[in-house]
Each structure stands twice: as structure tokens, then as C-alpha cells.
Amino acid sequence: MTSSAQIFGAPTFGSQIEVLDLRHFSAAQLRPLLFDECERWQSRLRWDYTNSMELLLQYLDSRVLPGFVALHGGRVIGYTFCVFEAAKAVIGDTYALGESGTLNNPVCETLLHHLIEMLQATPGVDRIESQLLMFPLGALASPYLSRGFHSFPRLFMEQDFAESKPLAPQPALPASLKLQPWQPEFYETAAELIHRSYAGHMDSHINDQYRSAHGSLRFLHNIVRFPGCGAFDAANSWVLRDERSGRLQAMVLSSRVRSDTGHVTQLCVAPELRGFGLGRILMQQCASELERSGGTSLSLTVTEENLNARRLYDELGFRTVHRFEAMVWDGGSE
């Protein structure tokens, strides 16, 4: 990654900006920008981004995180970063002052052009994934599509308990299945469930971790251990376990993204048991338990083309509040 300044026009600020290596900057220099981003997450998505920010600041002080910073008049006004997972790079975030709420994001686009160009020129990187939840659909299309990415429109949906209508009674559970709260000993069988649930599924094109048992286990550990999707809520994560075999056959995992707001990070049902209402049972259990413990709303994300899941969420009282997109580059072709 080059450390020299590169000058680009920035219409938002009316003059030029400098784009520099993120590793030249300390956490203290980026803290004001990250606080601004936290406020944006809170106001737009009911999401307390503080824990994610603090973790990111720790990485910034280690000076090993690949990425870029945008400067205007010596002031940090934007940043972007990525992480590497073997031959894959994941774009972790992009943010600039005054951007992310509309389709006009010149600083973020400039930063992404730099980051994507660097990643595609990095030996050994054959896949890049990105889901920048804050940006509306199409907001950052140019830097991605011009470099051969595929777009997967997604929805951010929310259920406000104050507006929820009475739900139909839950279907009965098959006799061999038992509803249980999440336990750490479920890691291996939960990863196996995720892997077989997403075999051939559209979401395996967005997140390649679903394509293997090892990748699914890594995905699961990321959800439970790191605050990227909120603080994992073990007390309100549920499994349906076959008492005869011990295998998990369905699962909903949730986090707290704010003290009163839950977020579903994973819902999956074994292929052979779809159509029995197991997803509905788990979602109603998650929502009712969250409301009982003082929560006011539950959110989730879903791929727009996943019509079966969307139908369930619509029936449960979720409404779409935001459309965004996942972007994927697979060496230029899927």
C-alpha cells in the first residue's frame, strides 16, 4: 500500500482532499470521526455502535489495519478499512463526515476506489466481500461495479413491538424436537446446521463462509465473540434440538445492538424440516422473550430475493426501513 498522498476532488468540501495510508494515523486522530459515525448509527438504525468503535480504535493503535484516510485541511474527514481472511478480503467499513444518508458520497467513493484497487492488486486475494449497511442501495455503486463486483440488494427490517399486531398461534413442534436456549457446547453442531442449511442458497454467494463446515464455524465464532452485529444475547438465542440424535435442526441467534433493541444475526432451518413452521416458532420466541425483558424492537437483514424469508417476516410484523446492498468480487467472475 502506498504511503504517499494522492489528491482528488471532493465536491462535498469544495476543495481537494488527501488520501493517505490508514496505518499512519492513531486512534486519537480518528476518534472524533468515529464518534460522529456512532451518532449516525444510533439515529438511523437504533444501533449503539460504541463497542464496535472501541474495538476498532484498539486495532487502529496497533497500526496494522489496511485502509485509507481522507484529509481535508489537515482534518480527518473519512476512512475505510478491510481485513484479510486467507485469500479473501472483507471491506469492514467506510465513512465520511456528512455522507452515507444519500446517493451522493464523493469522499467515500474516493476511499473505496483506492481500497478496491489496492485489494485487487494484492497477490493471493481472489475474493472481496462488502456489506456497508449504512448506505442506501446504489449509493456506492460506482467504485464497486466499475471493478467487476456483483450487487445483491438486501433489506434492513424492523419489528416495533408497540405497533405489532396479535400473532397467530405457533404451530406445534414435531415430537422429537425440543426448544432450548443457546449453550456453548452447541458450536460444532450449530456450524454443521448452518453449512447444510445454506447449501446452494443465494446467501452463500454473499458470504462464502457458509460453503464449508469450517467457514460456518468461523462465522459462528465471529457472531458470538465480536461486537460487529451487537453484543451476542445468549439468553435470547434458541435452538430446536433433536433429542434422539442430538443434532440441531433449527436455530435463531440474536444480539443486542442497543439496550432496548435486538437484532437477529442468524435464522436457519434444516432443509428436510422446512415447511413445518420452525422458523416462525423461533422468531416468535425471540421476539416475545426480548419484549418480556424490556426490549422495544427487533431488527434483521435479509436478501431481497429471499422471498420465503421475507414472507415470514412480513407476516410477523416486520417492515422494511432501509435497502442496502452486498457487493462481491470473485476474481472478476462468480
Side-chain angles (χ1 to χ4, degrees):
M1 185 187 301
T2 180
S3 61
S4 60
Q6 300 183 29
I7 311 300
F8 289 82
T12 300
F13 294 91
S15 62
Q16 293 178 325
I17 62 171
E18 293 180 286
V19 178
L20 301 174
D21 192 321
L22 177 62
R23 294 172 295 188
H24 292 173
F25 294 82
S26 67
Q29 291 172 288
L30 271 83
R31 187 178 288 271
L33 177 65
L34 292 177
F35 269 113
D36 187 81
E37 184 178 10
C38 280
E39 292 176 0
R40 188 67 64 91
W41 277 87
Q42 183 82 257
S43 62
R44 289 184 59 193
L45 299 177
R46 303 196 207 190
W47 201 302
D48 184 350
Y49 201 64
T50 305
N51 289 337
S52 295
M53 180 193 72
E54 293 298 337
L55 180 62
L56 177 56
L57 288 169
Q58 293 176 29
Y59 280 111
L60 289 170
D61 265 339
S62 70
R63 307 292 181 113
V64 297
L65 202 59
F68 292 97
V69 162
L71 290 181
H72 177 260
R75 178 191 181 199
V76 175
I77 61 167
Y79 81 108
T80 188
F81 75 91
C82 68
V83 294
F84 292 103
E85 298 176 0
K88 178 176 74 173
V90 178
I91 296 177
D93 198 6
T94 300
Y95 185 73
L97 294 173
E99 298 189 359
S100 81
T102 71
L103 299 182
N104 185 35
N105 304 279
V107 176
C108 288
E109 286 196 8
T110 298
L111 288 165
L112 283 171
H113 274 298
H114 277 73
L115 185 61
I116 293 168
E117 182 179 26
M118 181 271 290
L119 292 175
Q120 290 183 332
T122 300
V125 172
D126 57 22
R127 181 177 171 88
I128 306 171
E129 296 177 357
S130 175
Q131 291 196 61
L132 300 178
L133 179 58
M134 287 286 288
F135 293 83
L137 186 73
L140 299 173
S142 176
Y144 288 107
L145 300 183
S146 65
R147 306 290 300 194
F149 280 72
H150 296 282
S151 170
F152 297 86
R154 307 200 76 220
L155 308 177
F156 182 89
M157 304 185 75
E158 186 177 75
Q159 180 186 21
D160 188 325
F161 297 152
E163 301 174 357
S164 295
K165 300 177 182 178
L167 297 174
Q170 289 187 0
L173 274 176
S176 63
L177 296 185
K178 181 180 179 182
L179 179 68
Q180 295 181 247
W182 170 263
Q183 299 293 333
E185 58 263 31
F186 293 154
Y187 267 113
E188 294 290 340
T189 184
E192 187 266 340
L193 170 63
I194 292 172
H195 175 45
R196 60 192 171 105
S197 296
Y198 284 95
H201 193 276
M202 65 188 74
D203 285 354
S204 67
H205 296 289
I206 297 173
N207 184 348
D208 71 341
Q209 290 179 322
Y210 293 149
R211 300 178 190 176
S212 69
H214 175 76
S216 296
L217 185 60
R218 183 168 183 168
F219 166 79
L220 190 57
H221 275 285
N222 286 341
I223 286 178
V224 173
R225 297 171 57 194
F226 298 108
C229 289
F232 180 62
D233 191 352
N236 196 23
S237 293
W238 303 89
V239 304
L240 290 174
R241 185 168 178 263
D242 190 315
E243 293 190 283
R244 296 169 299 189
S245 67
R247 297 178 85 191
L248 302 191
Q249 299 288 25
M251 172 175 67
V252 62
L253 303 179
S254 73
S255 65
R256 289 287 182 119
V257 294
R258 202 172 70 176
S259 60
D260 64 343
T261 305
H263 184 76
V264 174
T265 57
Q266 179 62 219
L267 174 68
C268 56
V269 177
E272 65 272 18
L273 290 177
R274 289 171 188 163
F276 292 96
L278 303 187
R280 179 183 297 273
I281 290 171
L282 289 170
M283 287 295 295
Q284 289 186 218
Q285 173 70 20
C286 183
S288 62
E289 180 63 22
L290 177 61
E291 187 173 19
R292 187 197 64 78
S293 63
T296 60
S297 65
L298 181 64
S299 63
L300 55 84
T301 61
V302 61
T303 302
E304 193 167 60
E305 289 187 11
N306 192 348
L307 299 182
N308 288 335
R310 288 178 57 192
R311 188 176 303 111
L312 169 63
Y313 302 144
D314 287 339
E315 291 172 358
L316 291 173
F318 284 83
R319 62 185 181 89
T320 298
V321 297
H322 177 54
R323 294 176 75 227
F324 65 106
E325 58 195 321
M327 291 287 192
V328 177
W329 178 77
D330 250 310
S333 62
E334 183 72 44

